Amino acid sequence: MSSPAQRPIRQTDGVVNPLRDPRDKRLPRVAPPCMLILFGVTGDLARKKLLPAIYDLANRGLLPPGFSLVGFARRDWENQDFRAVAFEAVKEHARTPFREDVWEQLCAGMHFVQGELDDPAAFDRLAETVKELDRTRGAGGNYAFYLSIPPKLFPVATEQLQRSGLAQRHNGGWRRVVIEKPFGHDLASAVELNNLLHKVFPEESIFRIDHYLGKETVQNILALRFANTLFEPVWNRSYVDHVQITMAEDIGIGGRAGYYDGIGAARDVIQNHLLQLMALTAMEEPTSFDAQAVRMEKAKVLSSVRLPDDLDLATARGQYAAGWQGGVKVQGYLEEEGIPSNSTTETYSAIKLGIDSRRWAGVPFYLRTGKRLCRRVTEVAVMFQRAPHLPFSETDTEELGQNALVIRVQPDEGVTVRFGSKVPGTSMEVRDVNMDFAYGESFTEASPEAYERLLLDVLIGDPPLFPRQEEVELSWTILDPIEAHWAKQGKPEQYPAGGYGPQSADELMARDGRQWRRL
Ligand SMILES: NC(=O)c1ccc[n+]([C@@H]2O[C@H](COP(=O)([O-])OP(=O)(O)OC[C@H]3O[C@@H](n4cnc5c(N)ncnc54)[C@H](OP(=O)(O)O)[C@@H]3O)[C@@H](O)[C@H]2O)c1
């Protein structure tokens, strides 16, 4: 039997890549011959994130030489229009420097197919284009279909992929489908969506993007916990008082009224990003980092989540009102274009959850997210219990808080450890200080964008960073009763834009004798 250090890397479908020795970092993970078919290529996500990420991958030499990118949308574009828009998107949003030769090579494989998603003739044209590109550029029958389209169109797109034969595998090639959150809007619709996808694609070919999982800082939660001896011994109910997971945004809904209204902060952020962060923070050590082992541990956490008995006391919601942000007057949610003046959609939500396990019994996890808050910050803060006894005079420890380990997901990526330290001077005064690790200072290489990592993983067929069906359904099982409870409440509390969120969220913490970390 090979030792762990000798074991070759296991890739898609359990296939072992003999070319890649895990000890040899000189060999990057490179996508095999393949083609990406991007539905909704004229949309916001494609322009800001996906097209720049594809260019960045090409620039890093991680795409195969004959890589093809086929865009599909209704707009009346020719190939050259697609390339011109993609060029602008790359110039504006790519992470790596622009290189003419890389761009030219990428462009040679870029094609556009115009059509409606419910039009069989358009899919027949798409199938012809794909076939021809595969023949001329050698995709090896390997196709990834990225559905960057409104979720209500997932059913028609998958039906057409099946009808046109595009979803059928030939000659050992693979087919993968990528979908973007939201994965349904409750448990029933998520099950329905999964059933529909499974009619055409097996679970291992479905890649659900929760782009937070592509972030270096999020993956680092596992490195921090399981590559060190320092933290894990105190990562439990004997030492941890509570955990706060925050995603605060300073922006409003922008032009996304149609998407956001009726969805709200909890479905948009807590169901996916924050519950995934919680699962990574709370899970047990997986037997390995292959997809099955990691996802199994995350699913165990999600299935042990316990909702508090009184949801009135354990949840809070709010809606931003007009206010000032960075010296600029901004309007309230109800005045935003496209939002009905009687909307009850929340733009802020906070939830207290418990985890029924030996490790976490009695340790509350507080999750909060909101728009139009005073700062943009995403972090996981593990707050430790206070020392059981302080052998100092009371006045010397007045400014001493709780020890904390804060994983700063964005911006200012890094980790902070907060602890008490003696203030220089003649008395034994103790005050909180921070010890910081910042990515920018410790590593010379810049972190890839989340979409670079995730797109590459799709093309390689490396699934650990994609939530599977079970996790999605478990997350809705947690959220559904809370949403049902809120639906009976009517209007959420208003909070001024540019502030800290609704007062009810502060009261939620105060009832437990705690407070939120300052944003
Ligand atoms: N934008 C983000 O930051 C973000 C973040 C998280 C998740 N998402 C998810 O990502 C997906 C895409 O979002 P987006 O913001 O890019 O949406 P978007 O800007 O509204 O773009 C939608 C795309 O779908 C195409 N489309 C719409 N109806 C079509 C039809 N009947 N037939 C063919 N094409 C059609 C549109 O192209 P034409 O109008 O040219 O046909 C456009 O390219 C959605 O699932 C969204 O929930 C987006």
Side-chain angles (χ1 to χ4, degrees):
M1 216 172 82
S2 58
S3 72
Q6 293 166 325
R7 226 177 275 151
I9 290 289
R10 209 163 269 284
Q11 293 200 324
T12 354
D13 315 327
V15 178
V16 170
N17 178 354
L19 295 176
R20 212 184 139 226
D21 179 335
R23 288 163 300 180
D24 191 345
K25 295 196 174 61
R26 291 167 307 173
L27 295 174
R29 299 157 74 243
V30 178
C34 61
M35 190 182 317
L36 180 65
I37 295 105
L38 183 47
F39 294 95
V41 76
T42 58
D44 188 60
L45 185 72
R47 200 164 36 83
K48 290 197 185 133
K49 297 287 181 189
L50 304 178
L51 293 168
I54 292 164
Y55 168 80
D56 286 326
L57 287 173
N59 205 5
R60 292 163 64 203
L62 303 179
L63 296 181
F67 179 74
S68 302
L69 172 65
V70 181
F72 184 99
R74 289 171 299 186
R75 227 150 290 188
D76 194 12
W77 279 2
E78 299 289 337
N79 287 340
Q80 60 267 31
D81 300 312
F82 174 32
R83 291 171 191 164
V85 171
F87 177 78
E88 291 305 323
V90 165
K91 279 283 184 129
E92 195 176 346
H93 299 290
R95 183 179 64 87
T96 59
F98 186 78
R99 280 179 35 202
E100 196 67 42
D101 54 333
V102 172
W103 175 248
E104 289 301 328
Q105 193 178 356
L106 195 59
C107 252
M110 282 171 63
H111 289 257
F112 183 76
V113 175
Q114 189 267 337
E116 286 271 354
L117 285 161
D118 62 359
D119 178 10
F123 271 74
D124 290 343
R125 283 200 305 279
L126 177 65
E128 275 307 308
T129 305
V130 166
K131 201 164 140 194
E132 180 60 14
L133 282 172
D134 196 348
R135 193 181 63 77
T136 53
R137 296 181 60 84
N142 298 326
Y143 313 149
F145 305 106
Y146 200 123
L147 306 186
S148 181
I149 51 177
K152 64 175 190 296
L153 297 173
F154 290 166
V156 65
T158 39
E159 273 164 32
Q160 288 295 338
L161 284 172
Q162 185 175 38
R163 192 210 52 81
S164 61
L166 276 165
Q168 264 82 56
R169 297 173 57 168
H170 295 293
N171 305 328
W174 47 253
R175 300 288 184 276
R176 291 177 193 141
V177 66
V178 186
I179 58 168
E180 276 282 344
K181 63 140 204 174
F183 313 121
H185 59 268
D186 58 13
L187 178 61
S189 56
V191 171
E192 195 181 313
L193 171 63
N194 282 326
N195 289 343
L196 181 118
L197 291 168
H198 286 155
K199 278 191 196 155
V200 183
F201 297 97
E203 177 65 15
E204 65 270 18
S205 303
I206 302 171
F207 288 71
R208 299 176 185 82
I209 297 244
D210 180 335
H211 73 274
Y212 259 60
L213 299 183
K215 289 182 185 291
E216 285 291 332
T217 39
V218 172
Q219 293 161 51
N220 193 36
I221 295 175
L222 299 186
L224 184 93
R225 292 191 54 199
F226 302 126
N228 300 299
T229 51
L230 192 57
F231 308 114
E232 208 50 23
V234 293
W235 210 263
N236 56 54
R237 69 185 305 271
S238 304
Y239 295 91
V240 175
D241 177 67
H242 71 281
V243 178
Q244 295 187 21
I245 303 181
T246 301
M247 179 181 150
E249 293 180 284
D250 51 5
I251 52 169
I253 54 160
R256 304 187 73 209
Y259 161 73
Y260 198 85
D261 198 55
I263 298 276
R267 286 192 177 101
D268 188 39
V269 174
I270 294 186
Q271 186 273 339
N272 36 77
H273 305 326
L274 297 199
L275 285 175
Q276 283 289 328
L277 287 177
M278 185 178 98
L280 293 169
T281 306
M283 72 187 221
E284 297 301 318
E285 183 178 296
T287 49
S288 74
F289 281 106
D290 72 28
Q292 207 189 349
V294 175
R295 289 153 150 190
M296 192 172 78
E297 294 304 337
K298 282 196 290 171
K300 268 162 61 183
V301 173
L302 295 173
S303 56
S304 339
V305 166
R306 185 177 36 80
L307 290 182
D309 297 331
D310 190 335
L311 290 176
D312 269 332
L313 299 181
T315 68
R317 60 201 281 266
Q319 198 176 59
Y320 62 82
W324 289 88
Q325 199 136 35
V328 178
K329 192 157 177 39
V330 293
Q331 58 191 1
Y333 180 71
L334 297 179
E335 292 101 52
E336 298 274 16
E337 203 184 321
I339 300 296
S341 58
N342 60 352
S343 170
T344 57
T345 300
E346 88 281 357
T347 59
Y348 179 106
S349 42
I351 299 176
K352 172 186 171 183
L353 298 172
I355 298 176
D356 279 340
S357 69
R358 177 172 285 250
R359 187 192 280 263
W360 295 117
V363 178
F365 281 68
Y366 299 96
L367 278 46
R368 66 172 161 166
T369 182
K371 288 193 180 290
R372 281 265 183 252
L373 298 176
C374 58
R375 243 188 91 205
R376 168 177 172 252
V377 58
T378 302
E379 64 173 34
V380 177
V382 180
M383 308 298 293
F384 292 90
Q385 295 168 14
R386 290 173 194 276
H389 169 69
L390 292 171
F392 309 94
S393 72
E394 229 171 76
T395 50
D396 280 343
T397 53
E398 269 170 351
E399 291 186 58
L400 181 65
Q402 283 169 279
N403 291 167
L405 186 143
V406 183
I407 297 158
R408 303 193 307 272
V409 174
Q410 69 177 21
D412 184 25
E413 292 84 353
V415 179
T416 300
V417 178
R418 191 179 74 184
F419 54 94
S421 182
K422 182 182 173 306
V423 180
T426 49
S427 72
M428 197 55 192
E429 194 188 341
V430 185
R431 193 193 291 163
D432 289 328
V433 293
N434 285 335
M435 197 161 72
D436 255 347
F437 147 60
Y439 274 81
E441 285 169 19
S442 300
F443 299 112
T444 48
E445 60 268 49
S447 298
E449 279 284 324
Y451 277 100
E452 271 173 78
R453 170 68 199 260
L454 295 174
L455 274 168
L456 182 64
D457 282 3
V458 168
L459 300 179
I460 289 177
D462 207 5
L465 300 182
F466 301 86
R468 69 174 174 189
Q469 174 188 359
E470 190 187 0
E471 291 167 69
V472 172
E473 292 179 6
L474 284 168
S475 301
W476 283 120
T477 308
I478 297 166
L479 206 59
D480 275 2
I482 298 172
E483 289 286 355
H485 179 78
W486 285 343
K488 288 184 265 170
Q489 282 181 341
K491 277 190 172 253
E493 180 190 335
Q494 299 274 304
Y495 63 93
Y500 293 98
Q503 205 182 335
S504 53
D506 292 339
E507 289 163 2
L508 183 164
M509 290 298 254
R511 277 190 290 274
D512 291 351
R514 301 186 172 105
Q515 53 187 15
W516 293 109
R517 280 172 48 79
R518 272 187 83 80
L519 291 176

